[in-house]
Amino acid sequence: MTHPSLLVTTSTAVLLVEGNGPRTIHTGCGIYFGLAWDRDFIYILCRNNLGHGKLRRILGYRVTIEILDKSFRQVDSVRCPSIHDPHQAIARDGCIYVANTGKDRIEIYNNNRFSSINWTGEQKDVHHINTIGFDESFFYVLENNKQQRSTVKVFDFNWQPVQDVSVGLGAHNIFRQDQMLYICSSLDRAMIRYDLRSKEITEFSLLGGEWLPRGLAKGNDRFYIGLSAEGTRQERHGRMPGKLIRTNEDFEIIDTVELDGAGQVNEVRLISELDGAHNKVPF
């Protein structure tokens, strides 16, 4: 992969992936998950788990939004006491929308204040809400549902429900192109294309089904997908191997970047051209 430039978040760092390979641009804030930007800044969600299990409960737990400029210099760090176990984030109209997985809702950060959208009535991780995106008409939220079929929830911009789509298993990421939804069906080890008109599901296996896809970017006629090795949560949040693949629109692999020792790949964003799976704001 020689030409495109991408930002990739992993269990250990934020990586800039270019023609000369991956380079760390931010580390030391725990596990890196959602990454988004607006016209001015980059926003990175970090889960600083100070240990695992009982040790984490003793030592503490902290979620922050790390704010960088477009030259990757630190600008600010925002503590997020209302957010627990976050996953994806997206920037829209001056707000940062966060999949607040541990609270089963969407959190909204705007002008140093937090508010939330909760349609489940839960206050803990029941539906494993891990993805938030939008296009010109709708919000798209993914209820991963853990070991059960995942659900894409479609809302209007007033957060009124429009449609539910049951698709994928242990899924992450949503990208809509015309009447097609694209989803990383992580526990199927595959990509899914869902036709909203015919309701037809097409599944594309990746690398023989040995790697878990998570993190999806879309360029002109290419997809960029993060792949993670399978392991326990503690292993995945350590330094297990990962990969970044580039595919055509039928998910045939064109080339691969090895992310040795990076840990679980959590997010992939394309910065050298407009990322159709992000917020339509050029980097």
Side-chain angles (χ1 to χ4, degrees):
M1 193 181 295
T2 55
H3 300 298
S5 298
L6 300 105
L7 291 174
V8 178
T9 67
T10 76
S11 299
T12 60
V14 182
L15 305 176
L16 173 63
V17 180
E18 297 182 300
N20 55 356
R23 173 171 68 90
T24 297
I25 64 163
H26 204 285
T27 191
C29 286
I31 302 167
Y32 290 80
F33 273 86
L35 185 148
W37 60 82
D38 56 21
R39 289 179 176 82
D40 301 311
F41 301 112
I42 305 166
Y43 306 91
I44 308 165
L45 272 174
C46 300
R47 287 175 13 191
N48 198 337
N49 299 349
L50 305 176
H52 294 272
K54 291 182 179 179
L55 189 59
R56 186 176 83 170
R57 289 193 290 272
I58 294 169
L59 295 179
Y61 173 87
R62 182 172 66 248
V63 173
T64 60
I65 300 174
E66 301 301 316
I67 304 176
L68 280 59
D69 66 18
K70 298 294 181 70
S71 297
F72 310 124
R73 294 174 299 217
Q74 186 88 32
V75 174
D76 202 355
S77 179
V78 177
R79 292 285 300 271
C80 307
S82 61
I83 297 177
H84 186 78
D85 283 344
H87 281 73
Q88 198 175 51
I90 197 86
R92 178 180 183 269
D93 292 344
C95 299
I96 308 300
Y97 292 80
V98 175
N100 189 355
T101 310
K103 297 293 186 180
D104 223 43
R105 67 194 190 205
I106 298 299
E107 207 79 12
I108 305 168
Y109 174 71
N110 182 22
N111 290 328
N112 296 313
R113 299 183 64 181
F114 291 92
S115 59
S116 61
I117 302 293
N118 185 334
W119 59 92
T120 71
E122 304 289 347
Q123 295 297 324
K124 62 182 181 179
D125 181 6
V126 174
H127 299 87
H128 204 70
I129 295 166
N130 64 22
T131 299
I132 171 69
F134 67 91
D135 59 16
E136 62 277 1
S137 302
F138 303 112
F139 285 114
Y140 299 87
V141 178
L142 189 56
E143 294 180 350
N144 170 287
N145 292 329
K146 302 177 183 180
Q147 301 296 320
Q148 302 178 42
R149 299 298 292 176
S150 300
T151 304
V152 176
K153 309 279 291 187
V154 184
F155 297 91
D156 67 20
F157 289 145
N158 293 315
W159 288 100
Q160 296 303 303
V162 174
Q163 184 179 6
D164 287 359
V165 178
S166 178
V167 62
L169 185 66
H172 298 81
N173 302 96
I174 306 167
F175 166 61
R176 180 171 179 172
Q177 183 171 265
D178 299 322
Q179 292 300 311
M180 298 293 181
L181 289 180
Y182 295 87
I183 294 131
C184 297
S185 187
S186 302
L187 295 185
D188 286 325
R189 283 79 169 166
M191 294 300 301
I192 284 180
R193 182 168 63 207
Y194 179 87
D195 190 319
L196 287 162
R197 289 165 298 194
S198 68
K199 300 184 180 180
E200 179 183 1
I201 296 174
T202 308
E203 186 173 303
F204 302 86
S205 180
L206 300 170
L207 290 180
E210 298 178 1
W211 295 78
L212 279 68
R214 181 198 300 213
L216 178 67
K218 179 62 168 63
N220 237 345
D221 55 358
R222 298 287 185 262
F223 283 100
Y224 302 86
I225 304 163
L227 299 178
S228 299
E230 193 166 4
T232 66
R233 180 177 293 270
Q234 190 163 353
E235 288 170 339
R236 289 186 284 113
H237 289 178
R239 292 192 171 273
M240 293 182 70
K243 297 177 185 287
L244 176 63
I245 60 173
R246 175 166 57 166
T247 80
N248 63 18
E249 294 198 344
D250 288 320
F251 298 104
E252 297 169 325
I253 296 175
I254 297 168
D255 46 28
T256 303
V257 171
E258 302 292 336
L259 303 175
D260 294 328
Q264 177 175 280
V265 178
N266 293 317
E267 186 64 283
V268 175
R269 298 294 196 195
L270 179 63
I271 63 173
S272 53
E273 60 182 276
L274 193 66
D275 186 345
H278 186 229
N279 63 2
K280 311 302 188 291
V281 176
F283 187 80

